[in-house]
Amino acid sequence: MIEAPSVSYTGLSPVLFVFGAALIGVLAEAFVPRAYRWGVQLTIALGGVLGALVSVALIAGREELTISRAVAVDGPALFLEGTLALLGLLSILLLAERSPDMGGSAFVAQAAVPAGTALDRQLATHARTQTEVFPLASFALGGMMLFAAANNLLVMFVALEVLSLPLYLLAGLARRRRLLSQEAALKYFLLGAFTSAFFLYGLALIYGYAGTVDLRGIFDQAAGTDKSDALFVIGLAMLIVGLLFKAGVAPFHTWTPDVYQGAPTSVTALMAACTKVAAFGAILRVLYVGFGNSDWTWRPVLYGVAIVTLIVGSVLALTQTDVKRMLAYSSIAHAGFILTGTIANNQAGLSSTMFYLLTYGLTTIGSFAVVMLVRDADGEASHLSQWAGLAKRSPLVAGVFSLFLLALAGIPLTSGFTGKFVVFRAGLDAGAGPLVVVALLASAVAAFFYVRVIVLMYFSEPAADGPTVAVPGMLTTVALAIAAAATVLLGVAPGAVLDLANQAAQFVG
Amino acid sequence: MNTLLLVTLLLPLVGAAGVAVLPDHRQLLAKQLTLGISLVVLVMTLWMAVGFDTGGERFQFNSSYTWIADFGVRFSLGVDGIAVVLIALIGVLVPVVVAASWNDEPTGERSMKAFFAWLLVLETMMIGVFAATDVFLFYVFFEVMLIPMYFLIGSFGGPRRQYAAVKFFLYSLLGGLIMLASVIGLFVVSNNQLGEGTFAFDALRQLEITPGTQKLLFLGFFIAFAIKAPLVPFHTWLPDAGAEAPIGGAVLLVGVLDKVGTFGFLRYCLPLFPDASRFYAPLVLVMSVVGIFYGALLAMGQSDMKRLVAYTSIAHFGFIGLGIFAFTSQAGTGAVLYMVNHGISTGALFLIVGILINRGGSRMIGAYGGLARIAPLLGGAFLIVGLSSLALPGTNSFVSEFLVLVGSFTTQPAFSIIAAVGIILAALYILLMYQRTMHGPENPRLRGVRDLDKRELATLGPLIALIIVLGVYPKPVLDIITPAVDATMVDLGTNDPAPTVAEEGNR
């Protein structure tokens, strides 16, 4: 007789809201008439993330392990769930954008139609829209929340798959440039499946070493045993590979530029912001809770990986001529900045990483929202040369994008600076001085390509056949306004949110 | 709490917002509003300079507000004697720049409204960087200051403005980021020693930092300031930025922004890292003296007047660096006075070059000749300003250069003697430029150009008056500067050696 484990529904409510929305969304897809489907699906999806946000606010401060210690409800879990719900909210607003000025919905009605066929061409201009993206996005978000809260490697693996599979699909749903989009989806799927296998294999080895998949159990087993470390070290290495892949950290970053470029931009925003939050949430929990006492194994590795990531991200971004690819490489560089805080392995490391994830996510979604606005006849105009002189045509859009770029570059009085400051402080305090110096030099290199875009927009003459700047639809406007306001607010008066992150920086378990 | 400084800081920013929201066709109103605000700021900065109690506290007009509690950051403002005279310099230069840019036509389709709005934003940032008594706040102003200048150069500059703006921005940002490492390092040290991290200048001065740590932290600040000042070999952005910036921007870039570097040496490097300052002093002195010659020689070789003036500044910054790192209060006082005088003289020199370019349509020296006969007022003004720039006795720069050389001779005789030779080169590059543009055969293209008009006289007049007044009677300014420099030397832990002459008298 197996007793069913007790479940704290209150503690899990943020995750349950989002998964609930996803499941109801699937039913709605089957039963609601097509004419109403878009509105209903949007309402359900927004209801899910808003419910998650509200419940995070209501249960803040709760600390428990539920479902037989499988899922943690604690400060970091709730902070990251709240972050994911907020970022998810903005992403869903962008996914839902279908104003005619912005080219209608960005999603193809039937993704299975081979690219280039007559039917495919017909679909490209067809008014029919795809609403399955909403439940898919909700599933992905729910998986991400669970990923960051899993206190047990097996649950973490399940969450990893739940968050990944919908993303693979979403990446292939672009209405225009079908081939690029399908290539992105396939590439993401193959590499993702490969690294999932790594994670699973690492899990098995760790289980072989510790006899448990519970993170606290692994921690206890790692302390003072005379067992051989071989299983432990190899297993941990494989777990880390799986996690770093999701976080887009070099040398496991190669999928990032292609997938970011090929996927519909709103999906890229979701991936760039939310996946990074979830992946680093899981990295923090695994390393701090499960392997906090054996940091002699992973700290040197992450130290090296962080340096490689910073260099790869910032140097390769210099050579990009496509805005989306540039932002992809910039996201790799940002993963390096985040690692600078993560390797501290203390409370400051935890709170600074979480704060950085929030600031980075908001700014990134804002940047991709701007990319959605700059269009020519073929859809989005993401080649950098097409952005020349944008400030003359649309000073407001150029101004907002400059704000996001300055934040990504880490200029004071923007959220990006506050984030960089806290992770560097955590890193320096933990004795990672050389890494911080490398990170600062990488910031200087990174500033070059951000500033280059500002130069293009403001100081170059516009191209004769340049793109138009679409008037953002209502949903995009809301998302942009929230992202821009947060970027300024977290730069000028970050006190309250910093306190929140500090109070939340305590793992249970 | 005294809010005068805070109000002075915020007024231009509020004004900038006001100018920015004006409709595009109200260009004249935008100019008048900018001029009005900058004049009010001028009155307030002079009020502060006059009201500064030379025998009182080191920092005056203090105000402090909680900003980011988690970082121990406070929005703290206050001025010592060094800061107050530099802020007064800003107060003087900004209205002059506004008046000098009154009739500028924008390049391309941009409106001059944006120019004036950015100018006011820049004024707030410049005042802030000197007024901050919290290192974090200083860093914020230091970095954010780049943005208005970047747009001033990039949007309103010469033909290669994009290149110059990006180069300026990236150089300064690189320095700033290296400094950020040291700023965070200071926080970590204060956290370890005081139990809670702080950025307050007064608290950081009390820290006992080990010499090894001092050297690392010093380097972070030093590189940022050496790029800003700039000292050779970190100077390559300045000729480009100075040459491509609009004249008004160039005046503030060289007149004020670069002073942030030398100000930073005095305010942060010396008091916070005394051991490291002494350790690195020979290196800095070599860089300074090399800069004096390098700047002067390259200035002589320039055919572009704006680049020439930019290179002269590099030479002048060599003198300031020498004065600061000689570690005597006399040389330090001279260096601060040099900063003020350089702002006035080089600012005026840029304005004159701007007027020349306006008349002759070219930045090249070769395009001019014999102008003094056609435009005698312009020629006269050029001569006075030029003589001030080469530090002729009776002009302001002579006092400061003399103080630097006399003050540094007691501790660094070799460097002092070599630097003195640089004065001759200064005479060469200024007089050669004057001769080639103002005398010699008249260039027929220039026949019939206007002499200085009333507006130009009004912009140059105050600066020329200051050149002469400060040359003859610098005492009021010296009285304000001296206590602050003395306090810096106390922080540094040096006692002034007896003057060389007295020493010899005893033998």
Side-chain angles (χ1 to χ4, degrees), chain B residues 188-261:
Chain B
V188 171
V189 171
S190 69
N191 199 14
N192 292 343
Q193 287 195 12
L194 306 175
E196 56 171 352
T198 178
F199 288 104
F201 177 70
D202 276 328
L204 293 175
R205 264 189 316 146
Q206 317 296 331
L207 296 178
E208 299 285 335
I209 312 176
T210 58
T213 313
Q214 275 195 25
K215 282 176 197 163
L216 288 176
L217 296 179
F218 175 90
L219 278 182
F221 280 94
F222 175 74
I223 293 174
F225 296 147
I227 290 175
K228 202 83 183 176
L231 295 182
V232 176
F234 300 110
H235 64 282
T236 59
W237 62 271
L238 181 62
D240 289 315
E244 300 302 328
I247 287 294
V251 170
L252 293 178
L253 176 71
V254 177
V256 181
L257 255 65
D258 291 355
K259 305 299 186 310
V260 176

Side-chain angles (χ1 to χ4, degrees), chain B residues 76 87 93 114 149 167 180 209 227 260 297 338 358 361 406 487 505:
Chain B
S76 300
I87 289 176
L93 284 181
M149 192 41 115
K167 194 171 178 182
L180 178 60
I209 312 176
I227 290 175
V260 176
L297 289 172
Y338 210 126
N358 172 274
V406 169

Side-chain angles (χ1 to χ4, degrees), chain A residues 220-236:
Chain A
D220 292 338
Q221 286 294 321
T225 64
D226 50 0
K227 287 188 227 171
S228 155
D229 286 332
L231 278 183
F232 178 77
V233 173
I234 299 173
L236 174 59

